[in-house]
Coordinates of all heavy atoms in Angstrom, one line a residue:
K1 N -9.3 5.6 -10.9 CA -8.0 5.6 -10.2 C -8.0 4.5 -9.1 O -7.1 3.7 -9.0 CB -7.8 6.9 -9.5 CG -6.5 7.0 -8.7 CD -6.3 8.4 -8.0 CE -5.0 8.4 -7.2 NZ -4.8 9.7 -6.6
E2 N -9.1 4.4 -8.3 CA -9.2 3.3 -7.3 C -9.1 2.0 -7.9 O -8.5 1.1 -7.4 CB -10.5 3.5 -6.5 CG -10.6 4.7 -5.6 CD -11.9 5.0 -5.1 OE1 -12.9 4.2 -5.4 OE2 -12.1 6.0 -4.3
T3 N -9.8 1.8 -9.1 CA -9.7 0.5 -9.7 C -8.3 0.2 -10.2 O -7.8 -1.0 -10.1 CB -10.7 0.4 -10.9 OG1 -12.0 0.8 -10.4 CG2 -10.8 -0.9 -11.5
E4 N -7.6 1.2 -10.7 CA -6.2 1.0 -11.2 C -5.3 0.6 -10.1 O -4.5 -0.3 -10.2 CB -5.7 2.2 -11.9 CG -6.3 2.5 -13.3 CD -5.8 3.7 -13.9 OE1 -5.2 4.6 -13.2 OE2 -5.9 3.8 -15.2
I5 N -5.4 1.3 -8.9 CA -4.5 1.1 -7.8 C -4.9 -0.1 -7.0 O -4.1 -0.6 -6.1 CB -4.2 2.3 -7.0 CG1 -5.5 2.8 -6.3 CG2 -3.6 3.5 -7.8 CD1 -5.3 3.9 -5.3
D6 N -6.1 -0.6 -7.1 CA -6.5 -1.8 -6.4 C -5.5 -3.0 -6.5 O -5.2 -3.7 -5.6 CB -7.9 -2.2 -6.8 CG -8.4 -3.4 -6.1 OD1 -8.0 -4.5 -6.4 OD2 -9.3 -3.2 -5.2
G7 N -5.0 -3.1 -7.7 CA -4.0 -4.2 -8.0 C -4.6 -5.5 -8.4 O -3.9 -6.4 -8.9
A8 N -5.9 -5.7 -8.2 CA -6.6 -7.0 -8.5 C -7.0 -7.0 -10.0 O -7.3 -8.1 -10.5 CB -7.8 -7.2 -7.6
Y9 N -7.0 -5.9 -10.6 CA -7.6 -5.8 -12.0 C -6.5 -5.3 -13.0 O -5.8 -4.4 -12.6 CB -8.8 -4.9 -12.0 CG -9.8 -5.3 -11.0 CD1 -9.9 -4.5 -9.8 CD2 -10.6 -6.4 -11.1 CE1 -10.8 -4.9 -8.8 CE2 -11.6 -6.7 -10.2 CZ -11.7 -6.0 -9.0 OH -12.6 -6.4 -8.0
N10 N -6.6 -5.8 -14.2 CA -5.7 -5.2 -15.2 C -6.6 -4.7 -16.4 O -6.0 -4.2 -17.3 CB -4.7 -6.3 -15.8 CG -5.3 -7.4 -16.6 OD1 -6.5 -7.5 -16.7 ND2 -4.5 -8.2 -17.1
E11 N -7.9 -4.7 -16.3 CA -8.7 -4.1 -17.3 C -10.1 -3.7 -16.6 O -10.5 -4.3 -15.7 CB -9.0 -5.0 -18.5 CG -9.9 -6.2 -18.2 CD -10.1 -7.0 -19.5 OE1 -9.7 -6.7 -20.6 OE2 -10.8 -8.1 -19.3
I12 N -10.6 -2.6 -17.2 CA -12.0 -2.2 -16.9 C -12.8 -2.4 -18.1 O -12.4 -2.0 -19.2 CB -12.0 -0.7 -16.5 CG1 -11.1 -0.4 -15.3 CG2 -13.4 -0.3 -16.2 CD1 -11.0 1.1 -14.9
I13 N -13.9 -3.1 -17.9 CA -14.9 -3.3 -19.0 C -16.1 -2.5 -18.7 O -16.7 -2.7 -17.7 CB -15.2 -4.8 -19.2 CG1 -13.9 -5.6 -19.6 CG2 -16.3 -5.0 -20.2 CD1 -14.1 -7.1 -19.7
F14 N -16.5 -1.7 -19.6 CA -17.8 -0.9 -19.5 C -18.7 -1.6 -20.5 O -18.4 -1.8 -21.7 CB -17.6 0.5 -20.0 CG -16.8 1.4 -19.0 CD1 -15.5 1.5 -19.2 CD2 -17.5 2.1 -18.0 CE1 -14.7 2.3 -18.3 CE2 -16.7 2.9 -17.1 CZ -15.4 3.0 -17.3
A15 N -19.9 -2.0 -20.0 CA -20.9 -2.7 -20.8 C -22.1 -1.8 -21.0 O -22.7 -1.3 -20.1 CB -21.4 -4.0 -20.1
I16 N -22.4 -1.6 -22.3 CA -23.6 -0.7 -22.7 C -24.6 -1.6 -23.5 O -24.2 -2.2 -24.5 CB -23.1 0.4 -23.7 CG1 -22.0 1.3 -23.0 CG2 -24.3 1.2 -24.1 CD1 -21.4 2.3 -23.9
G17 N -25.8 -1.7 -22.9 CA -26.8 -2.6 -23.6 C -27.4 -1.9 -24.8 O -27.2 -0.7 -25.1
G18 N -28.2 -2.7 -25.5 CA -28.9 -2.2 -26.6 C -30.2 -1.6 -26.2 O -30.4 -1.2 -25.1
S19 N -31.2 -1.6 -27.1 CA -32.5 -1.0 -26.8 C -33.3 -1.6 -25.7 O -34.1 -1.0 -25.1 CB -33.4 -1.0 -28.1 OG -33.6 -2.3 -28.5
N20 N -33.0 -2.9 -25.4 CA -33.6 -3.5 -24.2 C -32.8 -3.5 -23.0 O -33.2 -4.2 -22.0 CB -33.9 -5.0 -24.6 CG -35.0 -5.1 -25.7 OD1 -35.9 -4.4 -25.8 ND2 -34.7 -6.0 -26.6
G21 N -31.7 -2.7 -23.0 CA -30.9 -2.7 -21.8 C -30.0 -3.9 -21.7 O -29.8 -4.6 -22.7
L22 N -29.4 -4.1 -20.5 CA -28.5 -5.2 -20.3 C -29.3 -6.4 -19.7 O -30.2 -6.2 -18.9 CB -27.4 -4.8 -19.3 CG -26.4 -3.8 -19.8 CD1 -25.5 -3.3 -18.7 CD2 -25.5 -4.5 -20.9
P23 N -28.9 -7.6 -20.1 CA -29.6 -8.8 -19.6 C -29.3 -8.9 -18.1 O -28.2 -8.5 -17.6 CB -29.0 -10.0 -20.3 CG -28.3 -9.4 -21.5 CD -28.0 -7.9 -21.2
A24 N -30.2 -9.5 -17.3 CA -30.1 -9.7 -15.9 C -28.8 -10.4 -15.5 O -28.1 -10.0 -14.5 CB -31.3 -10.5 -15.3
E25 N -28.3 -11.4 -16.3 CA -27.1 -12.1 -15.9 C -25.9 -11.2 -16.0 O -24.9 -11.4 -15.3 CB -26.9 -13.4 -16.7 CG -26.6 -13.2 -18.2 CD -27.8 -13.3 -19.1 OE1 -29.0 -13.2 -18.6 OE2 -27.6 -13.4 -20.3
I26 N -25.9 -10.2 -16.9 CA -24.8 -9.3 -17.0 C -24.8 -8.3 -15.8 O -23.8 -8.0 -15.2 CB -24.8 -8.6 -18.3 CG1 -24.7 -9.5 -19.5 CG2 -23.7 -7.5 -18.4 CD1 -23.6 -10.5 -19.5
R27 N -26.0 -7.8 -15.5 CA -26.2 -6.9 -14.4 C -25.7 -7.5 -13.1 O -25.1 -6.9 -12.2 CB -27.6 -6.4 -14.3 CG -28.0 -5.5 -15.5 CD -29.3 -4.7 -15.3 NE -30.3 -5.4 -14.7 CZ -31.3 -6.1 -15.2 NH1 -31.3 -6.2 -16.6 NH2 -32.2 -6.6 -14.5
Q28 N -26.0 -8.8 -12.9 CA -25.6 -9.5 -11.7 C -24.1 -9.7 -11.6 O -23.6 -9.7 -10.5 CB -26.3 -10.9 -11.7 CG -27.8 -10.8 -11.4 CD -28.5 -12.2 -11.7 OE1 -27.9 -13.2 -12.1 NE2 -29.8 -12.2 -11.4
K29 N -23.4 -9.8 -12.7 CA -21.9 -9.9 -12.7 C -21.2 -8.6 -12.5 O -20.0 -8.5 -12.3 CB -21.4 -10.5 -14.0 CG -21.8 -12.0 -14.1 CD -21.3 -12.5 -15.4 CE -21.8 -14.0 -15.6 NZ -21.2 -14.7 -16.7
S30 N -22.0 -7.5 -12.5 CA -21.4 -6.2 -12.5 C -20.6 -5.9 -11.1 O -21.1 -6.2 -10.1 CB -22.5 -5.1 -12.6 OG -22.0 -3.8 -12.6
D31 N -19.5 -5.3 -11.2 CA -18.7 -4.9 -10.1 C -19.2 -3.5 -9.6 O -19.0 -3.1 -8.5 CB -17.2 -4.9 -10.3 CG -16.7 -6.2 -10.6 OD1 -16.8 -7.1 -9.7 OD2 -16.1 -6.5 -11.7
F32 N -19.7 -2.7 -10.6 CA -20.2 -1.4 -10.3 C -21.2 -1.0 -11.3 O -21.0 -1.1 -12.5 CB -19.0 -0.4 -10.3 CG -19.4 1.0 -10.0 CD1 -19.7 1.4 -8.6 CD2 -19.6 2.0 -10.9 CE1 -20.0 2.7 -8.3 CE2 -19.9 3.3 -10.6 CZ -20.2 3.6 -9.3
K33 N -22.4 -0.6 -10.8 CA -23.5 -0.2 -11.7 C -23.4 1.4 -11.8 O -23.5 2.1 -10.8 CB -24.8 -0.6 -11.1 CG -25.0 -2.1 -11.1 CD -26.2 -2.6 -10.4 CE -26.5 -4.0 -10.3 NZ -25.5 -5.0 -10.7
F34 N -23.2 1.9 -13.0 CA -23.0 3.3 -13.2 C -24.1 3.9 -14.1 O -24.5 3.3 -15.1 CB -21.6 3.4 -13.9 CG -21.3 4.8 -14.4 CD1 -21.3 5.9 -13.5 CD2 -20.9 5.1 -15.7 CE1 -21.0 7.2 -13.8 CE2 -20.5 6.4 -16.1 CZ -20.6 7.4 -15.1
S35 N -24.6 5.0 -13.6 CA -25.6 5.7 -14.4 C -25.0 7.1 -14.8 O -24.6 7.9 -14.0 CB -26.9 6.0 -13.6 OG -27.8 6.8 -14.3
M36 N -25.0 7.3 -16.1 CA -24.5 8.6 -16.6 C -25.6 9.7 -16.5 O -25.3 10.9 -16.5 CB -24.1 8.6 -18.1 CG -22.9 7.7 -18.3 SD -22.1 7.9 -19.9 CE -23.4 7.3 -21.0
S37 N -26.9 9.3 -16.3 CA -28.0 10.2 -16.2 C -29.2 9.4 -16.0 O -29.3 8.2 -16.3 CB -28.1 11.0 -17.5 OG -29.3 11.8 -17.6

């Protein structure tokens, strides 16, 4: 909801890495680091 009403964004991209996880350059670009567990 906060991302939607912020007004600066028109899309949310969730990035899920493979067996080696996400590359460092993608993690550095992250606006929010989310852990499901």
Side-chain angles (χ1 to χ4, degrees):
K1 180 181 179 181
E2 289 169 2
T3 306
E4 286 181 340
I5 61 174
D6 180 283
Y9 308 103
N10 70 356
E11 71 177 356
I12 299 173
I13 297 176
F14 289 92
I16 302 172
S19 59
N20 294 322
L22 290 166
E25 69 266 14
I26 301 304
R27 293 193 322 267
Q28 290 169 355
K29 291 181 182 190
S30 179
D31 294 302
F32 184 75
K33 295 171 181 9
F34 176 52
S35 173
M36 293 193 298
S37 170

